[in-house]
Amino acid sequence: MDYILAVLVGLFIALGIYLLLSRSIIRMLIGMTIFGNGVNLLIFTAGRVTREIAPIVPAGLSVPEGPIANPLPQALILTAIVIGFSMFSFLLVLAFRAYQSLDADNTDNMRLAEPKRAPEPPLSY
């Protein structure tokens, strides 16, 4: 199972990077989301995928009776999902506003703020 998840993590990260290198803003946003899901799956896989009981200590004991699931990767992933969703929402609104004002989805066509014949920086000082 770990090998399948490792391949899936590699596919998610590779697809995310491929889409991030695109010129379309929407593809970049989807690539960022897929890349984030790949990292979340990597954290989950690094925390060892097991079928153990929940980490609850029974009454009267100071430690659990048997092996328990590791709650730390799950808490980290939950936090990362919330942060990733808020980042995606913010970037989606930003991309929509950029599309409205510039009427372009391609990043090469979004160069309205740059002057056409900008002076070159000095080659040496």
Side-chain angles (χ1 to χ4, degrees):
M1 187 64 169
D2 288 340
Y3 296 117
I4 295 171
L5 288 175
V7 169
L8 194 60
V9 165
L11 287 175
F12 274 17
I13 290 177
L15 182 63
I17 290 173
Y18 174 75
L19 289 174
L20 276 171
L21 294 175
S22 174
R23 291 183 181 162
S24 173
I25 296 292
I26 298 300
R27 286 184 185 169
M28 287 179 177
L29 289 176
I30 293 171
M32 185 175 226
T33 303
I34 292 173
F35 185 81
N37 287 335
V39 171
N40 289 342
L41 190 60
L42 176 68
I43 293 170
F44 186 70
T45 306
R48 292 187 310 273
V49 181
T50 59
R51 291 180 156 233
E52 302 296 339
I53 62 171
I56 299 173
V57 179
L61 296 176
S62 61
V63 294
E65 294 175 331
I68 59 170
N70 189 0
L72 183 64
Q74 296 171 10
L76 289 173
I77 291 169
L78 182 61
T79 306
I81 288 171
V82 171
I83 292 171
F85 180 72
S86 62
M87 179 67 81
F88 176 74
S89 301
F90 173 72
L91 291 177
L92 186 64
V93 170
L94 189 66
F96 180 68
R97 293 291 297 156
Y99 180 75
Q100 278 184 337
S101 63
L102 300 174
D103 197 30
D105 183 33
N106 191 341
T107 55
D108 287 341
N109 297 336
M110 290 184 162
R111 296 182 180 247
L112 292 177
E114 298 177 9
K116 294 208 184 266
R117 304 246 183 220
E120 297 290 325
L123 298 177
S124 65
Y125 290 100

